[in-house]
Amino acid sequence: MLDVSPLWPADLDHLRIDSPTPQALAEFYAGALGMSVSSLGGDAYLAEGHQRRLVIGRGEARGNPWNAFALEDDEQLDHYRRFVIARGGAPLASPTPLFAQGGFATSDPDGRLAVFGLRGASAMHVASGAAAEFPARLQHVVVASQRLPAMIAYYRDVLGFLVSDTVHVDDGKGGLGEANVCFLRANLEHHSFAVFRALRSASDHFAFEVPSWDDVRRWADHFAALDIGIWWGPGRHGAGNNLFFMVKDPDGNNIEISAELERLPKGAPGKRWPAGGKALNLWGPAWIRDMAG
Ligand SMILES: [Fe+2]
């Protein structure tokens, strides 16, 4: 059934993060990610660079009220809206000012909106600063959920994302038990959305895909110059096979720089991983030697 999902192809285009200090957070992204900042009114800001844009609004730190996926054209969007309605989805008004007229949203089991639409005309903001010319395309977003089975079912069965890899808890007999992470895709890239099991639903991270390992190094050096230290990595995720490292913004949002993300054709099965270990990092756990060692 899902081979006919009209969501394919769709890309993560932008997302909204909330902050008690949205302007200050937007200015952080201007310097750290080579973006320009403009006001969207209502205490919301657009941070935008080449192939990357974030809407930053006022709210609780680390809020992520919606994620917006871009489809190809009106025909696909219309087909997709009917597909979602037929599977029990209830289209709501699109919250984003960045898509053209005609987009819509649906509320997932955690109450976060998934937004679908067409890219509007580019505002052509010119980013400045050291990182403005560094390539980094907003590519995926990951959330934690206390309702994992419902979230997987919603994104797969109602919204038509395809399941790539899953990570599973031990079944107590050395085999794979219930899923505790699910990676989902709507184009050739291994995931544009993923969800993992947690005690409390929350945002987890968003990622920028860069063309090569050399660009990973370039971004790490750039963050180092700004005293933004690595929080996790570098390494290579097992699920997705991407090179990665992560840093945090001042609100505690996790920003991932990624390269070499696996590509998985429509209909291709993903892998099933035991939890932890290689699913997280094929290179092994990060380790920092102590000075006495
Ligand atoms: Fe990621």
Side-chain angles (χ1 to χ4, degrees):
M1 176 187 78
L2 292 173
D3 278 350
V4 301
S5 168
L7 182 60
W8 188 290
D11 307 328
L12 177 65
D13 186 79
H14 60 283
L15 53 89
R16 172 166 164 152
I17 51 177
D18 283 345
S19 173
T21 54
Q23 186 170 10
L25 190 62
E27 294 299 340
F28 167 85
Y29 278 93
L33 270 297
M35 292 164 145
S36 64
V37 175
S38 56
S39 172
L40 293 170
D43 229 2
Y45 297 85
L46 170 63
E48 183 175 36
H50 181 58
Q51 294 188 312
R52 50 188 183 267
R53 50 187 186 170
L54 303 170
V55 173
I56 302 174
R58 185 173 294 276
E60 265 184 47
R62 302 201 59 198
N64 167 221
W66 48 260
N67 300 311
F69 298 86
L71 282 70
E72 297 270 287
D73 53 33
D74 282 318
E75 184 181 352
Q76 185 194 10
L77 184 60
D78 182 56
H79 188 188
Y80 181 59
R81 183 198 308 267
R82 285 186 275 115
F83 172 93
V84 169
I85 292 169
R87 281 158 178 75
L92 307 168
S94 165
T96 179
L98 305 185
F99 278 163
Q101 291 288 319
F104 68 97
T106 69
S107 181
D108 74 21
D110 279 342
R112 183 181 287 103
L113 298 181
V115 186
F116 303 94
L118 306 179
R119 293 185 176 95
S122 169
M124 299 295 286
H125 291 291
V126 178
S128 60
E133 302 302 321
F134 293 2
R137 171 173 51 89
L138 180 65
Q139 192 277 326
H140 70 254
V141 61
V142 176
V143 303
S145 179
Q146 63 198 58
R147 305 174 188 87
L148 182 71
M151 286 285 279
I152 294 174
Y154 188 79
Y155 279 85
R156 181 191 60 205
D157 301 336
V158 178
L159 297 184
F161 281 80
L162 303 188
V163 172
S164 297
D165 293 16
T166 49
V167 181
H168 298 258
V169 296
D170 192 293
D171 66 359
K173 295 174 279 187
L176 299 181
E178 279 185 280
N180 68 345
V181 190
C182 184
F183 295 86
L184 298 124
R185 71 189 188 283
N187 60 33
L188 285 171
E189 292 182 316
H190 180 274
H191 57 283
S192 55
F193 183 78
V195 54
F196 65 82
R197 186 188 305 274
L199 293 176
R200 194 177 74 81
S201 296
S203 64
D204 187 75
H205 73 269
F206 44 90
F208 299 89
E209 185 74 7
V210 302
S212 72
W213 174 247
D214 212 35
D215 298 289
V216 175
R217 171 189 59 78
R218 186 171 292 132
W219 278 103
D221 284 341
H222 167 68
F223 290 140
L226 298 177
D227 278 334
I228 302 169
I230 281 181
W231 170 72
W232 186 24
R236 184 188 288 280
H237 292 309
N241 201 42
N242 46 330
L243 301 164
F244 76 95
F245 73 87
M246 290 192 193
V247 297
K248 286 182 181 290
D249 75 15
D251 277 15
N253 293 295
N254 302 315
I255 303 164
E256 179 175 27
I257 299 294
S258 163
E260 301 186 5
L261 182 64
E262 183 177 355
R263 294 167 75 82
L264 205 55
K266 197 174 191 177
K271 300 183 186 74
R272 289 158 53 88
W273 298 82
K278 290 184 174 179
L280 286 170
N281 193 346
L282 291 172
W283 293 356
W287 177 80
I288 297 177
R289 65 173 295 171
D290 67 32
M291 295 310 288

